[in-house]
Every structure is written in structure tokens, then in C-alpha cells.
Amino acid sequence: MNIIKVASDSRSTAVAGAIAGVMREQDSVDVQAIGAGAVNQAVKAVAIARGYLELDGIDIICIPSFVEVTIEGQERTAVRLGVERRGSEAAPPTSEPEPESEPEPESGGPTY
Amino acid sequence: MNIIKVASDSRSTAVAGAIAGVMREQDSVDVQAIGAGAVNQAVKAVAIARGYLELDGIDIICIPSFVEVTIEGQERTAVRLGVERRGSEAAPPTSEPEPESEPEPESGGPTY
């Protein structure tokens, strides 16, 4: 699993380039940040990456969540932005699963 | 259009409650923040709101972008988090639209 770690002094355009690079090849990447400055850079990077990827016809969305991480023996709460292609696993399950093959139409009723 | 404005001293749980309240009724809401502290609170609020809305079976995603806003005559760049229901406008159109009403089952065939 890819994780891009962002610090408060990360350049948002550089992080955006990294996000775009991964998203051109894969369906998702996690961007992780600890602290307000880092979260801000991470969110801006996703916004900038959207612009980069738009040119490739790739539409990305993000899913924020919290994760506990241990850094130098200290437990910290990080913000994770799960970046995904829009609609890649987004589509809600249809009420009926698509059949593997088209069933025979039943218009004629049973033929026995 | 709904805009929830977030400041660096906004409580993220309160903002999360506001996001969840709108998203229970509507398909989208914009969350706007200026500055690292405010953006951080906004992102955390979306993560918390995801938890609230999960209980209602609502899955939200967010789309970060930049917007220029004028505050007291000063032009500022805000971060806007477009919050949407997952798949609401994302899902590719299904090959057949869902029928308005359930068609009669055809198991018995015609009864004339």
C-alpha cells in the first residue's frame, strides 16, 4: 500500500506531483499528515493534483480518516486522506448483482 | 448552495454535526476554510462526519479545491472541501435505468 507522508514544510506542488504520479498508475494512494500545517499542505496537494490529473482524464476524490501512528515511541493521531479515482470502487452495489450471462427472456412462459 | 465556513477555533465535532445534518437531507455541501488551522479543523470534521453518517448508511467523499474569496476588501485563497455522497454523481450511468415501480412478477404467465 502506498503512503505519501506530508510534513508542514512539504511543498504542496511536490506532494501533488507525487500523488498524480501514483494515481496515473494505480487506483488509490494514502496521504498522511500529522498536525495542522501538514494537513493543510496535504489537502492543498490533493487540490493541485486534481488539476494535474484532470489533463489525463483522471478524476480523484478523497476520504479523510484518522489513524493512530507511533513515532519515536509516541502515539500520535494522524489524518489520512485516502485518495481514489472517482467511481473506482464508489458505485453502490446494485440491488441485484449483474448476472454472468444474460438469462433467457421469459416472455413465452414455460415450454413444457 | 450550502457553505459551511470553518475557522481555526471551530470545534471539529460541531462542524461534523453540521455536515452530517446537511448530508442527511441533501447530496452535497461545501466546507470552506482559510488558513492551516481552519483547513485542519475542516478535514477532521469531514472525517468525524463520515462516522456519524455511516450509521445512516451514507458514505461521503470530499473534493478539495481552491476558491478566491474577498474578506473585508482583501482577496484571500480559501480551501473548499466539496462534500458529496459517494457515487451520487460519480457512478457511471447504469446501462438500464431503474424502473419507477416494480414490474409485476411474470412467474404465472398471462391469466386470460
Side-chain angles (χ1 to χ4, degrees):
Chain A
M1 187 61 188
N2 286 287
I3 297 184
I4 297 173
K5 291 181 183 170
V6 181
S8 58
D9 60 355
S10 298
R11 281 192 309 122
S12 50
T13 49
V15 177
I19 294 170
V22 176
M23 292 304 294
R24 284 190 189 101
E25 305 297 325
Q26 303 195 0
D27 278 343
S28 67
V29 64
D30 280 347
V31 181
Q32 188 172 293
I34 298 173
V39 170
N40 185 45
Q41 292 309 94
V43 172
K44 290 196 295 183
V46 175
I48 294 165
R50 278 185 62 75
Y52 295 164
L53 290 165
E54 212 165 57
L55 305 171
D56 303 304
I58 298 170
D59 189 6
I60 59 170
I61 58 109
C62 89
I63 313 280
S65 62
F66 299 106
V67 283
E68 297 299 318
V69 295
T70 306
I71 295 176
E72 295 172 9
Q74 295 272 337
E75 190 147 298
R76 303 286 302 275
T77 300
V79 169
R80 184 170 289 177
L81 304 177
V83 175
E84 301 175 9
R85 287 187 190 217
R86 187 170 213 159
S88 68
E89 58 181 274
T94 50
S95 52
E96 281 181 53
E98 197 75 20
E100 287 278 316
S101 58
E102 199 68 20
E104 288 297 309
E106 286 189 74
S107 60
T111 53
Y112 47 82
Chain B
M1 189 60 189
N2 287 288
I3 298 184
I4 296 173
K5 291 181 183 170
V6 181
S8 59
D9 61 355
S10 298
R11 280 193 309 122
S12 50
T13 49
V15 177
I19 293 169
V22 176
M23 292 304 294
R24 285 191 188 100
E25 304 297 325
Q26 303 194 1
D27 278 343
S28 66
V29 63
D30 280 349
V31 180
Q32 189 173 295
I34 298 173
V39 170
N40 186 43
Q41 292 309 95
V43 172
K44 291 197 294 183
V46 175
I48 296 164
R50 280 186 59 76
Y52 294 165
L53 290 166
E54 210 165 60
L55 304 171
D56 303 304
I58 299 170
D59 188 5
I60 60 170
I61 56 108
C62 90
I63 314 279
S65 62
F66 298 106
V67 285
E68 297 299 317
V69 295
T70 306
I71 294 176
E72 295 172 6
Q74 297 271 338
E75 190 147 298
R76 303 285 301 275
T77 300
V79 169
R80 184 172 288 179
L81 303 176
V83 175
E84 301 176 8
R85 287 187 190 217
R86 187 171 215 160
S88 68
E89 58 183 273
T94 50
S95 51
E96 282 180 53
E98 197 74 21
E100 287 277 316
S101 57
E102 198 67 22
E104 289 296 309
E106 286 187 75
S107 59
T111 53
Y112 49 84

